[in-house]
Amino acid sequence: ASLGASLDQSASVVAQPIRTQLLEEILKENRSVRQQLDAKRADVVAALQAQQQTERMLRDAMEQRQSLYGEVRLLQHRIQELEANAGEEKRQRQEAQQKCELAERHSRECE
């Protein structure tokens, strides 16, 4: 019986360093995984911040585009008004010129 107890005790003494080594390896691997996780987490945070900045820039660009579109519409309307006014002025000038020519002819006929 003492030989069996002695063997159990010897196995326990040998197993203790193996358990300690195994625990150290597990802890080391755990630290490594945590570091990788922290690095990935930092990458995700950086990507989210970049995405938010891109979204802000996109919103700003869309607002500027809408503003410019409104200005273009206003300028197009103003061009139409000016073209209409120019057409009306041309028509009035031609009409006045025709009246002058008619008056000159009439004046020459009366002489």
Side-chain angles (χ1 to χ4, degrees), residues 21-37:
Q21 185 179 4
L22 184 60
L23 283 173
E24 287 175 1
E25 287 178 23
I26 290 172
L27 288 172
K28 183 178 177 183
E29 185 178 338
N30 189 13
R31 278 189 222 108
S32 175
V33 169
R34 283 186 184 274
Q35 288 173 345
Q36 290 173 4
L37 179 62

Side-chain angles (χ1 to χ4, degrees), residues 46-87:
L48 287 173
Q49 288 172 341
Q51 180 184 2
Q52 289 172 347
Q53 182 179 6
T54 301
E55 288 173 353
R56 277 193 300 273
M57 291 169 57
L58 181 59
R59 278 192 304 273
D60 291 346
M62 292 295 287
E63 288 174 7
Q64 185 178 16
R65 180 177 182 255
Q66 286 180 331
S67 176
L68 290 172
Y69 182 73
E71 287 181 38
V72 166
R73 297 283 299 172
L74 184 64
L75 290 172
Q76 287 174 337
H77 180 71
R78 186 70 181 130
I79 287 170
Q80 289 174 345
E81 287 178 344
L82 291 172
E83 287 174 343
N85 289 343

